Amino acid sequence: MQCYTELIPPTAVEHSVVLPFTSPKASNLVVAKTSLLQIFELKNVTELTTRPADGAQDNNTVEGSLSTQRSESRTKLVLVSEHAVSGVITSLACISIQNSKSGGNALLVSFQDAKLSLLEWDPEHYGLSTISVHYYEGEDLQGAPWTPPTGQYHNYLKADPSSRCATLKFGARHLAILPFRQPGDDLAEDFDPDIDEPPTKDKTAAALAEEAEEHKTPYSSSFVLPLTALDPALVHPIHLAFLHEYREPTFGIISSLKEPSSALLEERKDVVNYNVYTLDLDQRASTTLLSVSSLPSDIFEVVPLPLPVGGALLVGSNEFVHVDQAGNTSAVAVNDFARQSSAFPMADQSDLSLKLEGCALEQLGADNGDTLIVLRSGELAILSFKIDGRSVSGLSVHKVSPDLGGALFGARPSCIANLGRGKLFVGSEEDDSVVLGWSFKAPQLARKRSHAQMLEEDVDVDFDEEDLEDLDDDLYGGGSTAPKQQMSSAGPTSPTYYLFKIHDTLTNLGPASAVAIGKASAQGTYSEDENANEASAYQELLVSAGRGQAGAVTILNRTVGPKSVRDQTIAGARDLWSVYARASAPKGMPQPANGQLDAEAALSSDSNYARFVIVSKRSQDDVEESIVLKVTETSLEEMQDSDFESDAGATIDVGTLARGTRIVQILKGEVRSYNHDFGLEQILPILDESSDAELKVVSTSFADPYLFIRRDDSGIMILKADERGEIDELDKAEFISKNKWVSGSLYRTTDSNDSTLLYLLGADGGLKIFDLPDLSVPIYSVASLSYLPTVLVPGEAPRRSAAREQLAEVLVADLGDVPSKSPHLIVRTSWDDVIIYKPYHFPATDSRQTFTSNLRWRKLDQPLIANWADSDDFLAEEGSRLQYLADIGGYSAVFIKGATPSLIIKEASSIPRILEVRAPGIQGLTSFHTARCERGFAYVGQGDKLYEAQLPPQTKYGQTGWATRKLQIQEDVLGLSFHEKQQVYALGSSKPTDFTLSEADPYKEYGREDSETRPKVDQCSLKLLDPNTWTIVDEYPLVPFETIMSMQTMVLETSEATHDRRELVVIGTTFVRGEDLATRGRIYIFDVVDVVPELGRPETNKNLKLFAQEEVQGAGQKIMVRGIKEDGLLTPTILPVAFLDAQCYTSVLKNLPHTGYCLIGDALKGVWFAGYTEEPYRMVLFGKGRSHMETITAEFLPNDKQLHFAIADADSNLHILQFDPDHPKSLSGQRLLHKSTFHTGHFPSTMTLVSSPTPTPQSNTTNGLPNGTVDHPMPDVNEASPPHKYSILLSTQSGSLAHLTPLSEPAYRRLGALQTALTPVLEHTAGLNPRAHRAVETEQGLGSRGVVDGGLVRRIWELGSQRRAEVLGRCGIEGWEIREDLGVCGNGGLGGLL
C-alpha cells in the first residue's frame, strides 16, 4: 500500500525536433524528456556585454584600460506548453498534414512498446490534440518465441522529408509504414498524361476541397513489412533514414548478413552494406536503387544530407563515409584504428584521434554543406565537403579550438536540431542541453567577395550541366529548383571560420547516480549571523549530475532560502513597504511618460534605489502605528522631520503615483498623498457616497496613475492622479455601484494600446474587465471563474451547481524573468488555495488589437493546495494576501502571505512554480533595491526583525520546481555522503587519464602498440566539499585503475577496550585491469579532522586523515562484516568477523538503521534479506525474493510494524516485497512476498530512506547505537505511536526525483478509488492509457495490490469544481480527506527535507 509520486519531472533531453507547430509561421522546438513533452518558441533578446576596447586583451586587461559595452542578440527558449505522457518516448518527427487546427505541421511521436501518436496543436484550447494512435505490438509480429519483447529493442521513428510517409522500425527487423495524404493524391492516381488533359486550376481547387471533405484523416492505412521482404539480405539491420531530393519516399539502410563484432574483426571485417530503396506506397512494394558493399564494420548511423551535398553520410566509430545518389563514395579516417579495422579506401586524418561513438551531426548552412560534429566528449568539430559539380570528391574534418567555442559542451549529446538563423539546439542526457549559436569569424567584406566569385562560377557550370538534368529528372524530382551553390566547387572550410557561443540552457539533473541529504548551508559564512544558525536547522539534497567534463553536484532545496544582507530589530513590526520617489519636474519642463525615466536618469546606477521603508507596527497594548525609515549605507534610520504622522494608525498599503512623484499611504480610513520628501499634499477620507459614513479599506492595487480601493462594504473606489500629482476619484457608473465586489486588480498592458485594465471579481464569482477610465460597461466578462474550469471562455454560462468555489482574491501580474514576462491571472480561494491561469487568444490577434480581444485563459498545472491545519489563524483575516514584486533577483514574482509564505516564480523556459519561503515567522515582505542589496527584498521575520535579503546567487527555480544550484566538479561524481559532526560533504569522483603500460605490467606484449588514440582509465579521488563556500577543501587521490564502488559515512566503534565511537568516511574500491587478472580491492576508512586553515581560506580547517586500510583479494562473492581492531599499532586493522556467501554480482547493499538487518541485491538473482548479530558474530539469511530479477537498487520501507522492501530493476519497474513470516505463502519467512509491481518509466539510479523530522533524544548522540549506524533512528516497536515515519526518495538517470510513500489502509482505499475514477475522466496526452503504462505482468500476475500513481490522482485539481465534486462523490470521498492524502504523498511526506 504505497503511492509513487514524481517530485521533479525528468530533465534529461533525449529527442528534439524543430517545426512550425503552434502556427504556420511559428518556429517551435519540441523536446522529449523520457515521459515529458515540452514545446518552446524562440525569442531573441538583447543583452549588454562588456568587452575590452580595441587593442586590449581579454585576459590581460589591467586596471584603467578602456572597455566598451556592446549589445549582443541571444536566442532564448520560451516555454509554450508541457505535457506528461504515459509512456517512454523513443522518437519525434515532423509531419506536414492538411487542414491542421493550427495551420502548422503535426508531431509524430513513437513510444517504447511500438506505439505511434499523431499530435497537433489545438489553438482553441491551448494544448495538444491527439489525431490518431497506432499500435504495432501484436503477438503475431513478435517473431520467434525466444525473441525478447518489443520494448527491449531499439525502436525508432523516421519520417520522409516531404511527409509522404513515416516508418517505425521495431522488434528485430519489422518496419511499420504509415502513409500520409498529400494534396492531389487522388487526382494523381486517375490522371493519365497520354489520354487526359491537365486539370485546370479551378478543377484542382474544387477537387482538393472535395478530397479534404472525403478523407477526414490525414493518413492512409498503415502496414507492416519484415525487412527481409524488401531484401533477403537485410538480416541484421543497423540503421535507416529517409533521403532528400527523391520523387518517391526513399530511404537508405545499413545492414549486414553477419552481425558485426569487434571480437571477430578478422572474420567479419567490412561486412556492412548500404542499400537505397524507394517505396511504392500504393503497391506496398519497394525498388532497389543502389547498393554499396564492403563498408567498414563499425558504421552505425545513416545521416541524410540535403543540398548542396546530397546523398547520405555514414558514420562509423573511426571514419565518415559519404555516398552520393549515384553510389560514389568518399571517406575519411579520423583515428588510427580505421586502417586497422577496415580495408575500405579513405583519406587519412588519423592524427585527429577522434572517437565518433555517440556523436551528433547537423548541417550548419546550405551554402557549403559544412556539418557540425558534437563528439561524445562534448568537443566540437567541423566536417567539410569538397564539392565538384554534383559530386563530392573529398571529406575533411577539423576540430574547433576552445577559444572559438570548441569546448563549450561537456558530455555526450543525445540529439541535435537546427533552429535556423545560426542557432542549434544540442540536447543531452549527461549535461545541460544548450542553444548553441554560431557565426562567421571571417571579415564581412571577404565573404561578399568570395560569394560573388562563386556566383560567377555557377554560370559556367550551370550551362554545362543543363543537358544532364533531364536524365535524372524522374528519379531525383527535377521539378524542384535546386540552389545554384550545389554545382559550385567548394573546398574545406578554414578551421577559424566559425565561432560558437551558448545562448540558453536547460538544466539537467541526470544521471543522478549519487544522492546525499545534509544540513542546509549557512548563508553567513563563518560568522555569528543568526540567519546562518537558523538555516542550519533545515536539510538540503545533493544529487550528482553530468558525466566527464560536465560532472557536477546539484544542490536542491524545496524552499527559497533568503540570503541575508543585514537585519535590525523593530519592536512590534508587522508589515513593511519600500518606497522610491523622485521630485516633480520644475514648471515648464516636460514630464516623462508614465512609469518612465529620462535617458540621463536611466543611466544613473541609483536611479530607482529605495529611499524609504514604511513599517506598520503594533505595540504590546495593541496600539497600531506606522513609522518611516530612511535608507542609509549602514542602517535604516527613523525619519523625524516630515509630515508623516506615526500615530495615524496601521498602514494597509503604500505605492507611488504621478510618475513616482507622489507617495500614497493607504490607512484604514483614509488615503494620504506625500511628495518625495514626505511633505503632506492630500488627505482623502474613505466615506460612503450616500450617507457619508466612515468605511474601512480592505485591499488596494496600484497602476500609475490609478489606485483601486476595495472597502469593507464590498464597494470600490478608483482614484486617479493627474499630471500635477493631485488625486481625485473617478465617477462610478451605475453598474459599479449596484454590484458587490470581492476583489480587484489593476494591470497595465504592454501592447501598442498601452491601457490600464481593472479586473473585478464579483460576488457571483464572475470576472469583469474594465478599460480605465471608462467604468460604464465591462469590455470583457467571464461568468464561470468560481467553477475554476480548465479554460475560461467569455460568454459561456456555467450550469447551476452547488460545487462552486468561494473565491477570495484575484491578481493579474507579470510573471517571468528578463527574457520573457507575461501576465497571469492568479486566483486565491477562501481556503487559501492558489490557482494560476495563463492568457491566450483564439482566434489569434495582431499587435493592433487590444489585449482583451479574443482573450481566453488556460489553467496551469501548478496549484498551491493550502494546509488547512496551519491556516486557521489566517482564514479569519480579511484582506489581500497576493503581493506583486516587480523585480527580485531578476524575476517578476508574486508573494503569497499566510501560514506557509510562498513565492510564485517563473522562468522563460518553465511554467510558474510555487515555492515556500524559508523564513520562520515571516509577516510582511516587499521588494527592496539598494546599492547594498540590489534587486533584493526586505521582510519582517521572527523576533520583530527586519531583514534585508536577496535570492540565493546562481540558483534557478523554474525548470525543476525546486531551488536548484549546480556546482561544477568537471569529473564523474561516484559517491556523496554528509559528515554531520564536521558539517562537510565527502565526495568520490573520477576523471579519465591515458592508459600507458609500465615495465612491471603483466601485459608486456602489448607494449609494442604504437597508437595515438590511447585508451582511458579512471583516476579516482576522495574530496571534502564545504557547504558554506561550495569549494573543495581537501583531496585524497587513489592510484590509477582503482575505482570507487561504494562510499558512506557511518558511526563505527573504534576501540574494543573503550568502545569509543566516531563518525568516519568508509569507501570500497576495486582495481579494474581486465577480466584475466585476479580481482582485488581495498577498504579505506577516513577520519575528518580539524587543522589549521590556509591563509584567507577559513573553510580549509578540515582535512581527510587515513584511519585504517585493508586490501581485499577476490575469493568469490561474499558479504563480510568487518570490525576495527587496535593492536597497539600505528594504524588500526580491519578484520572480518562474519560472512555470508553471495550470488553472482552484488549490486546493492543496504542496512536498516539500529536493527542489524541488511538487504542484499544481486544484478541477476534478485534480493536477499539477512541479519547480523554480535553475540555470537554471525550473519543469518532470513528470506529470498524472486530468483530472476536484475536488481539495480533497493531499500527498506518500514511502516506500522510491517517491513517492506522496494526494489528497482533494469526494466524500470518498481517491485514491493514484504517480509511476513506469519503468512502461509512465505514458508516461515524464507520467501519474500511479492506485493505489487509498478512501472516507473525511468531507469533507476538510487533509493534513499528518509524520515520525518520529529526530534528524538537518540538523534543527537552516537552513544549506545549499534556499530555502523548511518543515520535515522528506528522507532521502538513497543511504542504506541512511532516518532518517525519513513518513505523512499528515488532518483533516476533521466534526472527525475520521485517519492514512494507508505499509506494507511483508509488512505490507500481512497486514493485507489480516485485513481480508478479519474482514468476515464481526464484527457490523456497522445491517447495513452496511464494504467496500462504502470501495470507490469510478473510471475505472480499483476501483483496483489498495486501502487497508487500519485501523478494521476494529483491531476484531480485540473478539473473544475463541478467535475471534481462529481468524481469525489462517485468515490464517496470528502474533499478534506483527499487534500490530506495528497499532501502526504507529495512534498509533505518528505518531512525535514526542505
Side-chain angles (χ1 to χ4, degrees), residues 968-1114:
Q968 294 297 327
I969 305 295
Q970 296 185 336
E971 297 181 11
D972 280 349
V973 179
L974 305 177
L976 283 169
S977 185
F978 182 68
H979 196 286
E980 186 169 0
K981 180 181 178 181
Q982 295 287 6
Q983 296 290 295
V984 293
Y985 288 94
L987 184 150
S989 64
S990 72
K991 59 182 178 182
T993 58
D994 288 337
F995 169 71
T996 56
L997 289 168
S998 63
E999 293 295 331
D1001 202 284
Y1003 299 105
K1004 294 182 180 180
E1005 64 273 16
Y1006 294 157
R1008 297 187 297 270
E1009 285 190 350
D1010 184 17
S1011 174
E1012 296 294 333
T1013 308
R1014 296 188 179 276
K1016 302 289 185 180
V1017 294
D1018 287 337
Q1019 173 70 59
C1020 295
S1021 62
L1022 180 65
K1023 299 178 173 65
L1024 284 185
L1025 179 64
D1026 179 68
N1028 294 299
T1029 60
W1030 294 119
T1031 57
I1032 303 297
V1033 297
D1034 193 26
E1035 182 174 2
Y1036 185 92
L1038 303 181
V1039 298
F1041 305 100
E1042 190 175 15
T1043 301
I1044 297 176
M1045 302 297 293
S1046 178
M1047 187 183 78
Q1048 207 164 21
T1049 301
M1050 57 183 65
V1051 178
L1052 296 175
E1053 184 180 282
T1054 58
S1055 174
E1056 295 180 343
T1058 62
H1059 299 287
D1060 290 339
R1061 297 177 181 273
R1062 195 179 303 176
E1063 189 174 10
L1064 302 169
V1065 180
V1066 183
I1067 65 172
T1069 69
T1070 185
F1071 286 83
V1072 182
R1073 296 296 304 274
E1075 59 185 12
D1076 52 350
L1077 289 182
T1079 303
R1080 64 187 180 96
R1082 287 176 182 165
I1083 298 175
Y1084 294 90
I1085 300 179
F1086 291 92
D1087 194 5
V1088 181
V1089 298
D1090 294 322
V1091 296
V1092 178
E1094 300 175 11
L1095 185 63
R1097 295 190 62 194
E1099 70 274 12
T1100 59
N1101 61 341
K1102 301 175 183 67
N1103 270 10
L1104 288 166
K1105 179 184 177 182
L1106 183 61
F1107 182 79
Q1109 171 184 339
E1110 181 187 1
E1111 186 158 334
V1112 182
Q1113 297 291 338

Side-chain angles (χ1 to χ4, degrees), residues 383-592:
L383 173 64
S384 300
F385 299 87
K386 185 179 181 181
I387 305 175
D388 293 329
R390 274 193 167 182
S391 63
V392 175
S393 59
L395 311 177
S396 64
V397 180
H398 69 263
K399 290 183 178 181
V400 180
S401 61
D403 59 326
L404 297 177
L408 294 175
F409 212 60
R412 179 180 65 87
S414 59
C415 59
I416 189 168
N418 197 328
L419 303 176
R421 298 185 178 181
K423 310 295 187 302
L424 298 168
F425 176 78
V426 183
S428 177
E429 300 177 71
E430 300 176 356
D431 193 5
D432 293 345
S433 301
V434 301
V435 175
L436 193 65
W438 58 271
S439 58
F440 300 106
K441 195 178 180 182
Q444 183 71 22
L445 182 60
R447 289 201 302 270
K448 289 183 178 180
R449 185 168 55 250
S450 61
H451 181 65
Q453 294 173 357
M454 181 182 64
L455 291 178
E456 291 177 0
E457 295 175 357
D458 285 348
V459 178
D460 299 333
V461 176
D462 191 41
F463 177 79
D464 294 335
E465 296 284 341
E466 185 176 1
D467 296 335
L468 300 178
E469 290 184 357
D470 294 337
L471 299 177
D472 300 327
D473 180 66
D474 183 66
L475 180 60
Y476 300 114
S480 62
T481 303
K484 292 185 178 181
Q485 287 89 335
Q486 65 171 317
M487 300 182 185
S488 64
S489 297
T493 305
S494 170
T496 60
Y497 192 58
Y498 294 101
L499 178 65
F500 296 90
K501 65 178 180 180
I502 292 178
H503 288 243
D504 202 2
T505 61
L506 296 180
T507 302
N508 177 25
L509 304 184
S513 57
V515 169
I517 300 175
K519 293 291 181 66
S521 59
Q523 301 297 342
T525 305
Y526 303 102
S527 68
E528 299 298 328
D529 187 5
E530 291 186 11
N531 253 16
N533 300 326
E534 204 171 79
S536 63
Y538 295 88
Q539 290 181 308
E540 62 191 0
L541 181 67
L542 263 66
V543 179
S544 65
R547 297 187 190 276
Q549 287 294 316
V553 171
T554 306
I555 303 103
L556 295 169
N557 284 278
R558 285 172 50 204
T559 59
V560 178
K563 178 186 176 183
S564 179
V565 177
R566 67 180 177 185
D567 63 83
Q568 68 184 72
T569 301
I570 300 179
R574 290 294 179 267
D575 210 341
L576 76 168
W577 298 265
S578 66
V579 177
Y580 163 74
R582 61 185 183 86
S584 301
K587 292 184 178 181
M589 294 291 293
Q591 296 279 0

Side-chain angles (χ1 to χ4, degrees), residues 1 10 41 73 75 95 126 207 325-326 485 488 635 721 801 825 846 963 1094 1124 1151 1183 1205 1230 1257 1325 1374:
M1 298 182 296
E41 61 185 8
S73 176
T75 299
I95 302 295
Y126 204 76
Q325 293 173 332
Q485 287 89 335
S488 64
S635 64
S801 172
L825 172 64
D846 55 33
E1094 300 175 11
I1124 301 175
N1151 77 303
F1205 312 96
Q1230 298 180 38
T1325 303
E1374 298 291 338

Side-chain angles (χ1 to χ4, degrees), residues 300 310 713 1123 1248:
F300 59 86
D713 65 343
T1248 306

Side-chain angles (χ1 to χ4, degrees), residues 175-214:
L175 200 65
I177 302 175
L178 178 62
F180 293 97
R181 305 186 192 277
Q182 298 297 316
D185 280 351
D186 291 347
L187 297 177
E189 294 174 3
D190 301 334
F191 175 69
D192 188 342
D194 296 332
I195 302 175
D196 301 332
E197 295 182 0
T200 63
K201 291 184 178 180
D202 294 337
K203 292 182 179 180
T204 303
L208 289 177
E210 182 180 353
E211 177 191 354
E213 180 66 24
E214 180 182 358

